[in-house]
Amino acid sequence: MPTPGEPILVVLREELRAGVWPTGAVLRPSELTERFGTSLMLTRAALSVLIDEGLVRQDMSRSYRVLAPGSPPPGTTLAPTAIDRVATTMRTRLAAPEPVYPPDNRMPPLTQLATEFDVSLTVVAHATTRLMLQGLIRNHYPGESRGLYAVDPTSTTRDDILIADLRAAMYRGGWCPADFREAVERALPALDVPPSSGRPDPASAHSAGLSAALGIG
């Protein structure tokens, strides 16, 4: 199940922010799919998330090109695809004051969504994969009916994403579980340091939960 800590998303985001990829370089989905051992659908969904984050753009030929970190968005906006339209509509429904898809409730099956949006199942699958990578929807938990569920933002803590990102780093670097535990132990004190602005640090509020989730301390 795709998560915000999916290795392809975490690693590419880190590389793009660090300038590993030169500005204007083309990111080829087929090559990334082979590199990360993912499906082409997941690769394209990850690239779409990076477009939303301003790290990648699509040119007129729909090629994925690297943007310089912090650069303004490109002036030319491509017409949205069917996947874009479905993802945007579902995202709006999830964020509404009275959401069409209430948190922790099972969403309509993909076949029903395809009929409603008058698109193929493939389009809906791409859109929902993108939303899962953004942490807006999730797959069912054990004991729940099979399907997709809207994420409850009050119960999905930043710890979940931190843990997923660290596990992705372990996957990328070939760490063993002991290395992972040691890295988290080193990172936890940093989460407890208040920011220089004097405002509460949202990460520190969850450091104890992160420690407990990993069996530390």
Side-chain angles (χ1 to χ4, degrees):
M1 146 180 112
T3 70
E6 187 72 34
I8 184 171
L9 180 59
V10 175
V11 175
L12 280 178
R13 182 189 289 124
E14 178 182 302
E15 290 179 348
L16 290 165
R17 288 174 174 171
V20 173
W21 294 85
T23 300
V26 176
L27 299 174
R28 294 180 171 83
S30 58
E31 295 177 359
L32 294 173
T33 295
E34 182 176 356
R35 173 187 172 187
F36 289 97
T38 60
S39 68
L40 188 58
M41 179 191 303
L42 181 55
T43 299
R44 291 189 181 278
L47 289 169
S48 296
V49 172
L50 295 172
I51 288 174
D52 292 341
E53 294 177 358
L55 296 171
V56 176
R57 69 177 177 88
Q58 273 191 303
D59 59 22
M60 297 305 294
S61 65
R62 295 281 181 185
S63 295
Y64 299 93
R65 293 190 178 274
V66 175
L67 286 173
S71 62
T76 302
T77 303
L78 298 177
T81 64
I83 297 171
D84 296 330
R85 291 193 295 271
V86 172
T88 298
T89 300
M90 294 183 69
R91 193 181 296 114
T92 300
R93 292 178 177 182
L94 288 161
E98 295 185 7
V100 177
Y101 312 128
D104 283 333
N105 277 250
R106 189 157 65 103
M107 299 176 63
L110 299 189
T111 51
Q112 182 176 328
L113 291 171
T115 299
E116 177 188 351
F117 289 112
D118 193 24
V119 295
S120 67
L121 273 174
T122 301
V123 167
V124 173
H126 274 273
T128 53
T129 299
R130 186 184 303 181
L131 296 177
M132 291 175 81
L133 283 174
Q134 293 174 320
L136 300 176
I137 62 177
R138 61 174 176 82
N139 215 329
H140 60 278
Y141 293 143
E144 293 179 327
S145 299
R146 292 180 61 86
L148 298 177
Y149 286 73
V151 167
D152 183 352
T154 64
S155 65
T156 303
T157 67
R158 188 168 181 267
D159 293 353
D160 299 324
I161 298 176
L162 285 171
I163 292 170
D165 284 355
L166 283 167
R167 290 196 186 282
M170 180 174 69
Y171 172 91
R172 180 182 75 250
W175 302 355
C176 68
D179 296 327
F180 177 68
R181 179 189 178 102
E182 181 181 346
V184 174
E185 287 177 326
R186 289 198 305 266
L188 283 174
L191 296 180
D192 288 321
V193 177
S196 57
S197 63
R199 292 176 295 181
D201 182 2
S204 65
H206 295 300
S207 60
L210 177 59
S211 179
L214 295 166
I216 298 170

